[in-house]
Amino acid sequence: GAVVSQHPSWVICKSGTSVKIECRSLDFQATTMFWYRQFPKQSLMLMATSNEGSKATYEQGVEKDKFLINHASLTLSTLTVTSAHPEDSSFYICSARGRDRAYEQYFGPGTRLTVT
Amino acid sequence: AQKVTQAQTEISVVEKEDVTLDCVYETRDTTYYLFWYKQPPSGELVFLIRRNSFDEQNEISGRYSWNFQKSTSSFNFTITASQVVDSAVYFCALTGWDDYKLSFGAGTTVTVRA
């Protein structure tokens, strides 16, 4: 099956710094990538949708200047949390879909961000 | 707007018991997809099943079975003869036919005790 990787799997950063999370589709071309956020014991909430080569579309309530998303190629999307604060600590999950079987989303293993 | 409701927050069973997870959805779309995912403690989502709105046939896969009732907008999931390894959070999700944005339910935490 299709494989999506995320890097890093966990990261600890200090308040006020920025951190970048990478999402890669390893064996298919991802026309669309999605970024989700999951707080402890809660569900996944869609943050944004990114299509290769175009600007990301953010869900209501998500600060686009704080969560910068870049989908520069068909296999890579990045999420940068700028000026991170403790309330940004969360589990971030990406997913990707290709041109074929477009209804299938393949999920990455997630990145646990802790801001101290 | 799409909405998925999983009324059961937590379910605890003893090994070998059957457990049914309820999922009720709302959508204005006439065509849509429904999903179930498993999230073990490691956090990685595991895909279990996809069902499109045209196909109301129930499905069985090993100890897992799904009951799709379009008339009641429900897509329930049963684990038969549960095992400790089934302990996880289970999410029901819904997407429209052409926007592919997944709406997740709140999740049901299943604990299977030995």
Side-chain angles (χ1 to χ4, degrees), chain A residues 57-101:
Chain A
T57 303
Y58 291 81
E59 295 299 303
Q60 194 171 8
V62 177
E63 300 175 61
K64 60 181 181 182
D65 293 332
K66 181 168 187 61
F67 298 101
L68 301 178
I69 291 171
N70 185 289
H71 192 161
S73 76
L74 282 171
T75 58
L76 174 65
S77 177
T78 59
L79 167 67
T80 302
V81 183
T82 62
S83 187
H85 291 284
E87 56 266 31
D88 298 324
S89 298
S90 187
F91 192 53
Y92 293 88
I93 305 172
C94 73
S95 71
R97 69 174 185 93
R99 289 194 182 93
D100 300 329
R101 298 165 62 93

